[in-house]
């Protein structure tokens, strides 16, 4: 069973891309478990047919101790994709990272990530790993291939660099950095600094996705771009990305070498 974990700054396109990858893999005949790790519980909206989301945290609170089973957590998605959302506290009243850690403990307690049931588990993870809870999927049992989503903007690159630090921290757990996905804000942007950033942290750009209004139209319809516009360029890029990720041999991934903040700023300034 393969595990993929998508990380990146908030709003950068993780859920869009992770849900697209899950759908592409399911269409290729893979048995997919898609796990949303964001208190906003929006990762699986495009995958669950009626958009009705049940979260792990809601289920924990509505069940007595010992009553919780995997079928309480799993939502049946399109193309047979099984979906789980961690959920989390209301804004301002708790810790979303703790919700992710707790979800993963429950996964182990009741055997949610069953090797015999899935070919691929896709984690869509919030944030830039500064919080230990969101780093939980990088810990021992999961050993994912990590994909960092970023754009050409400094803040996204800054988050990406932090995530690379998180990956470096957990290398002993067989985590590897699969590469970057560049989700463009501006299709005419100069991407040279991002190519240099990838080189310098010892990784690669796996895919470059254009800003595409079809993505937002799909979102309004509660669909993935793969369902909404299967023949579009963007859908094609995401399908290709999904195949590349599955084929990638972790042994070929180099250990990341994140940059110092000043070096990153220089690089993004075109001086690196
Ligand atoms: P994240 O999960 O990283 O917070 P989302 O996947 O929810 O980010 O994307 C944030 C917003 O940006 C959504 O409204 C989504 O439709 C939009 N978006 C993401 N990628 C693209 C793209 N390539 N083109 C146009 N809109 C995009
Ligand atoms: Mg998201």
């Amino acid at each position: 069973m393969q595990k993929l974990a998508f990380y990146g700054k908030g709003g950068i396109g993780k859920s869009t891309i992770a849900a697209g990858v899950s759908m592409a893999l399911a269409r290729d005949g893979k048995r997919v478990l898609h796990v949303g790790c964001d208190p906003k519980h929006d990762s699986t909206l495009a995958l669950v047919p009626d958009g009705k989301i049940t979260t792990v945290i809601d289920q924990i609170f509505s069940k007595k101790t010992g009553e919780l089973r995997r079928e309480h957590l799993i939502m049946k998605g399109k193309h047979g994709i099984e979906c789980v959302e961690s959920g989390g506290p209301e804004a301002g009243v708790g810790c979303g990272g703790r919700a992710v850690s707790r979800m993963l403990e429950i996964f182990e307690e009741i055997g949610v990530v069953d090797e015999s049931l899935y070919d691929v588990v896709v984690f869509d993870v919030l944030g830039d790993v500064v919080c230990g809870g969101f780093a939980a999927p990088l810990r021992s049992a999961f050993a994912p291939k990590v994909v960092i989503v970023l754009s050409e903007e400094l803040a996204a690159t800054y988050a990406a660099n932090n995530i690379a630090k998180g990956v470096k921290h957990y290398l002993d757990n067989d985590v590897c950095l699969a590469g970057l996905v560049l989700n463009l804000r501006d299709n005419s942007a100069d991407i040279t600094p991002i190519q240099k950033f990838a080189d310098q942290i010892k990784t690669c750009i796996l895919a470059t996705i254009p800003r595409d209004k079809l993505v937002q139209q799909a979102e309004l319809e509660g669909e993935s771009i793969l369902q909404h516009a299967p023949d579009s360029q963007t859908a094609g890029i995401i399908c290709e990305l999904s195949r590349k990720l599955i084929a990638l041999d972790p042994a070929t991934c180099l250990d990341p070498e994140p940059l110092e903040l000043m070096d990153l700023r220089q690089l993004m300034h075109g001086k690196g």
Side-chain angles (χ1 to χ4, degrees):
M1 181 169 57
Q2 296 225 21
K3 288 134 189 159
L4 308 175
F6 289 82
Y7 277 94
K9 177 182 165 289
I12 202 67
K14 298 177 294 295
S15 299
T16 303
I17 297 165
V21 164
S22 284
M23 191 167 272
L25 292 173
R27 284 186 177 174
D28 279 349
K30 299 270 188 283
R31 299 166 305 163
V32 179
L33 176 65
H34 182 100
V35 184
C37 306
D38 186 328
K40 312 202 279 299
H41 54 76
D42 60 344
S43 183
T44 56
L45 281 175
L47 299 176
V48 175
D50 55 6
K52 257 179 118 177
I53 305 296
T54 316
T55 72
V56 174
I57 295 300
D58 289 347
Q59 293 292 43
I60 292 172
F61 285 118
S62 68
K63 299 277 179 297
K64 295 197 189 100
T65 314
E67 237 181 36
L68 196 64
R69 293 191 302 279
R70 61 191 311 284
E71 52 270 32
H72 295 135
L73 308 182
I74 287 172
M75 298 169 279
K76 297 284 178 196
K78 298 165 189 171
H79 301 287
I81 301 170
E82 300 208 331
C83 301
V84 178
E85 284 280 1
S86 69
E90 291 295 319
V93 292
C95 172
R98 176 69 193 122
V100 176
S101 298
R102 184 67 196 121
M103 172 177 73
L104 296 181
E105 286 163 14
I106 287 177
F107 276 16
E108 282 190 21
E109 284 163 29
I110 62 175
V112 173
V113 185
D114 184 333
E115 298 260 347
S116 68
L117 295 179
Y118 305 111
D119 301 308
V120 191
V121 185
V122 174
F123 292 94
D124 172 13
V125 195
L126 169 76
D128 49 11
V129 213
V130 173
C131 165
F134 294 113
L138 302 181
R139 299 212 185 100
S140 50
F142 289 102
K145 292 175 181 171
V146 173
V147 180
I148 304 178
V149 183
L150 81 175
S151 71
E152 70 278 16
E153 294 174 343
L154 175 63
T157 316
Y158 180 73
N161 194 53
N162 268 344
I163 295 157
K165 286 183 190 169
V167 172
K168 187 176 178 185
H169 190 80
Y170 289 106
L171 284 173
D172 286 349
N173 297 342
D174 289 335
V175 171
C176 73
L177 179 56
L180 310 178
V181 171
L182 177 54
N183 192 24
L184 290 169
R185 292 275 154 174
D186 172 358
N187 292 342
S188 63
D190 174 14
I191 64 166
T192 316
I194 304 299
Q195 284 161 338
K196 286 188 180 167
F197 172 69
D199 286 349
Q200 291 194 13
I201 70 163
K202 301 279 179 286
T203 193
C204 63
I205 299 176
L206 295 161
T208 302
I209 300 176
R211 191 84 191 157
D212 181 350
K213 61 180 184 320
L214 288 172
V215 170
Q216 281 152 20
Q217 284 172 10
E219 186 181 31
L220 288 171
E221 299 299 326
E223 294 178 340
S224 160
I225 177 79
L226 267 79
Q227 183 185 5
H228 186 72
D231 299 326
S232 62
Q233 184 201 10
T234 303
I237 293 170
I238 292 175
C239 286
E240 206 180 305
L241 169 67
S242 71
R243 292 181 190 138
K244 212 183 229 186
L245 286 170
I246 292 302
L248 185 88
D249 176 359
T252 64
C253 299
L254 299 178
D255 295 351
E257 288 180 18
L259 304 182
E260 295 298 328
L261 182 55
M262 280 314 289
D263 294 337
L264 178 63
R265 293 191 76 92
Q266 294 270 8
L267 180 74
M268 294 303 287
H269 219 276
K271 295 178 192 155

